[in-house]
Amino acid sequence: MRVLIIDIDSKIPNLALKKAERYHLDRGDEVIWDMSLMANQVDRIYVSCVFRKNRHKAEEYEVYPHALIGGSGYDLKVTLPPEIEDVTPRINMGFTTRGCIRQCGFCVVPEKEGGIRIVGRLLDLWDGKANQITLLDNNILAVPRHFVEVCFQALLNWIRLDFNGGLDHRLLTREIAVMLAVTPHVVYKFAYDRPAYRKSVNRAIALLKAVGIRQSTWYVLVGYDTTLEQDLQRLNHLRFMNQRAFVQRYVMRPELNPLARWANQRHMFAAMTFGQFLREPRKRDYYIGIYGREKYEELLAA
Ligand code: SF4
């Protein structure tokens, strides 16, 4: 059997496509990646599209009856056949839980994956050699005993953990903070999605600092239901608390681009305010074009 796999737009290794690849390789099938010209000459096509803006590229494969097209940018309801979903490709990246306990309006996880459940162990993802595993779990702290077990597996095997899906700061406890402190890790990531979280963010930072974790990265959602002023307040709050930020744009709007350019460059964010960033002479006219002169002058004091 000949299989074609098309990865339209993944920014990190695409787990679903990796599962399909592993499944077919284990059966002795030939697997070809990203050669769209082969679409008529294969028995099966798997297409994944992560971002909605690229949906039209995935739609081009709808003419092939042997194509399975999915991904959050195409259709949240499309799933892999169970025999492929159950494959663990051991690429040092993946999920030990799926789903989430929360219902954030901007997030596809509740609709796509439903409530939280444990789907595997840390070591199921490990190739036995790598010293780091990237976890994509959406809200692993919602199952604290499982979280502790994952951390113990990492500790026992000298594996550094990257909780790439982010950790829910509202679920931090003293015990979880201690576990985070002793587990080998890359910089922890949390979410600061709403201005109303200010108090809980302060509480989380205090808990983390008490166990020696002085700095984390905070995903800051912008362009959803907040104003530019509210976005700046959250970012300035993180600067004041000596934390890192990563601006996540819900929509691509020009006025959000300078914010992301400033905050997502760690050294820039630590070294200067947004107002100082906007003073860059070479970009001044560009920024005035985005915000208008009056707003630009106002932002210089931000
Ligand atoms: S907590 Fe995170 S994963 Fe869960 S619904 Fe909210 S944004 Fe999505």
Side-chain angles (χ1 to χ4, degrees):
M1 187 177 190
R2 213 183 226 186
V3 174
L4 173 63
I5 296 182
I6 303 285
D7 185 351
I8 301 272
D9 54 5
S10 306
K11 295 204 166 140
I12 55 174
N14 186 304
L15 191 59
L17 295 181
K18 288 283 186 188
K19 286 185 177 199
E21 177 189 48
R22 183 76 269 147
Y23 173 80
H24 284 287
L25 288 176
D26 287 349
R27 288 163 46 109
D29 298 335
E30 182 186 354
V31 176
I32 303 160
W33 278 84
D34 293 327
M35 287 186 66
S36 53
L37 290 175
M38 298 289 290
N40 264 323
Q41 298 166 50
V42 297
D43 306 291
R44 194 85 208 253
I45 308 175
Y46 297 92
V47 182
S48 172
C49 173
V50 177
F51 300 103
R52 284 202 77 78
K53 64 179 180 187
N54 296 325
R55 192 175 201 282
H56 62 284
K57 295 184 189 169
E59 283 170 356
E60 289 171 16
Y61 294 88
E62 287 174 354
V63 294
Y64 302 106
H66 54 300
L68 177 65
I69 312 171
S72 47
Y74 181 78
D75 186 339
L76 294 177
K77 298 272 182 263
V78 175
T79 54
L80 288 168
E83 66 276 17
I84 301 183
E85 182 58 53
D86 290 346
V87 170
T88 47
R90 293 184 182 272
I91 54 171
N92 307 310
M93 186 195 84
F95 297 87
T96 68
T97 61
R98 298 307 290 249
C100 185
I101 53 167
R102 304 203 189 273
Q103 296 280 333
C104 304
F106 51 83
C107 178
V108 299
V109 170
E111 186 189 342
K112 192 174 169 212
E113 301 184 12
I116 197 155
R117 64 203 180 278
I118 295 164
V119 296
R121 304 175 320 136
L122 181 75
L123 298 186
D124 296 336
L125 311 175
W126 193 36
D127 65 4
K129 299 187 286 271
N131 60 8
Q132 182 170 316
I133 293 182
T134 300
L135 285 168
L136 305 176
D137 299 49
N138 300 300
N139 201 342
I140 194 169
L141 296 188
V143 273
R145 283 172 68 169
H146 172 74
F147 162 78
V148 169
E149 192 187 315
V150 163
C151 291
F152 271 124
Q153 286 170 354
L155 266 168
L156 289 174
N157 293 283
W158 296 87
I159 300 168
R160 194 167 54 223
L161 294 183
D162 177 4
F163 289 98
N164 200 270
L167 297 166
D168 189 333
H169 75 271
R170 294 161 289 180
L171 298 177
L172 270 182
T173 60
R174 163 94 191 148
E175 292 70 31
I176 287 174
V178 168
M179 203 68 230
L180 289 173
V182 298
T183 302
H185 62 274
V186 300
V187 175
Y188 288 122
K189 303 170 186 78
F190 297 90
Y192 189 174
D193 296 322
R194 295 178 182 281
Y197 292 163
R198 190 180 177 93
K199 261 193 179 167
S200 56
V201 167
N202 281 340
R203 175 187 162 273
I205 292 173
L207 273 172
L208 293 166
K209 284 192 173 171
V211 295
I213 302 171
R214 308 207 62 75
Q215 207 175 46
S216 307
T217 295
W218 294 78
Y219 294 131
V220 176
L221 179 74
V222 302
Y224 178 64
D225 60 356
T226 52
T227 63
L228 188 63
E229 285 69 24
Q230 288 173 318
D231 299 338
L232 264 170
Q233 276 167 13
R234 278 179 293 161
L235 289 165
N236 284 334
H237 178 208
L238 292 172
R239 275 192 89 233
F240 179 74
M241 300 297 281
N242 195 26
Q243 301 294 300
R244 300 180 193 177
F246 190 89
V247 164
Q248 284 192 315
R249 285 161 284 187
Y250 184 73
V251 286
M252 288 296 175
R253 286 205 308 260
E255 71 269 25
L256 302 175
N257 295 343
L259 210 58
R261 275 196 62 227
W262 166 60
N264 295 358
Q265 298 184 74
R266 181 152 61 94
H267 301 295
M268 196 87 82
F269 184 66
M272 61 180 74
T273 64
F274 188 51
Q276 289 165 335
F277 175 79
L278 291 181
R279 281 173 202 271
E280 188 189 343
R282 281 180 307 130
K283 295 266 185 184
R284 190 172 170 274
D285 290 346
Y286 168 66
Y287 295 141
I288 290 175
I290 290 178
Y291 296 118
R293 184 170 296 277
E294 199 181 324
K295 182 80 181 167
Y296 173 76
E297 300 285 346
E298 210 179 282
L299 287 170
L300 292 182

